[in-house]
Amino acid sequence: MERNGIKAGWLALRPFKPADIPWVYEVSLDPALQHFVELPAPYRMEDAAFFVEQLAIAGAQSGQRLEFLAEEASTRERLGRVGLWLGAPGTAEIGYWVDPKARGRGVATNAVRAVCRWAFRVHGLELIEWRAEVGNWASRRVAEKAGFTVEATLRKRLLHRGIRVDAWVGSLLKGEAL
């Protein structure tokens, strides 16, 4: 993990810290986020603490996950997150979300591009995969703008609130991002 983060123009991407827990909690109450992201319901402060401490911080220490908080570089205002789950050698799966107050500003697209370029260069990845529930057009637009090729619709591939749903899947190859 980059100790000092990743600079991405007007954005800065940095590792999560415990002080981010209240912000993660507030953002995770957003109905749009809850509709498309598999979150506990009801969502509690303990869930936000688990995400930050166990998934983001401990995941980075174990090398299984690389989670970044995206913030405005000049003000340090928290805007969103981008995470990579490292899978088979040379591969990862990406996920992202944006604070409702920051949507429509290009946060996700710029953060995804920066994290993917960094991961291909620093971690030697060859492929990053993206998945989203069919109908999550905001996520799909971000993926496509960031250079991902949407390859297929997979039937009943994701589990959302105990129900199997169809998923779009796409990929970004190293040479496409660098």
Side-chain angles (χ1 to χ4, degrees):
M1 174 73 85
E2 289 284 312
R3 204 178 278 181
N4 298 322
I6 301 168
K7 297 196 185 324
W10 64 280
L11 286 178
L13 298 137
R14 63 161 174 83
F16 276 84
K17 50 191 172 189
D20 299 318
I21 293 169
W23 175 78
V24 168
Y25 172 74
E26 289 298 323
V27 173
S28 296
L29 297 178
D30 172 53
L33 191 69
Q34 289 193 356
H35 181 75
F36 287 114
V37 177
E38 184 65 24
L39 296 171
Y43 196 81
R44 303 172 320 225
M45 188 66 77
E46 297 83 29
D47 300 313
F50 179 81
F51 171 80
V52 171
E53 296 169 349
Q54 300 304 313
L55 298 181
I57 296 171
Q61 292 168 347
S62 72
Q64 296 175 330
R65 255 179 117 112
L66 304 170
E67 290 283 346
F68 292 93
L69 187 142
E71 55 189 13
E72 190 161 335
S74 62
T75 65
R76 296 297 185 206
E77 175 189 5
R78 295 173 179 103
L79 303 172
R81 72 151 278 270
V82 177
L84 291 171
W85 300 269
L86 301 175
T91 68
E93 185 175 335
I94 195 162
Y96 43 86
W97 47 253
V98 174
D99 187 318
K101 296 177 287 199
R103 291 185 184 142
R105 296 171 48 191
V107 172
T109 302
N110 288 317
V112 166
R113 284 180 184 146
V115 168
C116 288
R117 284 192 302 265
W118 171 83
F120 282 127
R121 192 178 67 253
V122 173
H123 286 276
L125 298 180
E126 294 294 324
L127 166 79
I128 298 175
E129 188 173 79
W130 161 84
R131 292 173 186 248
E133 182 177 338
V134 169
N136 188 346
W137 289 102
S139 183
R140 182 173 174 149
R141 280 191 296 276
V142 167
E144 290 176 329
K145 286 179 184 178
F148 284 76
T149 299
V150 178
E151 298 174 352
T153 299
L154 304 176
R155 299 179 312 155
K156 307 295 181 197
R157 194 54 53 105
L158 296 176
L159 190 61
H160 188 83
R161 305 243 189 271
I163 299 170
R164 289 222 159 260
V165 296
D166 294 347
W168 288 318
V169 64
S171 64
L172 181 66
L173 302 176
K174 183 176 186 174
E176 298 167 341
L178 297 178

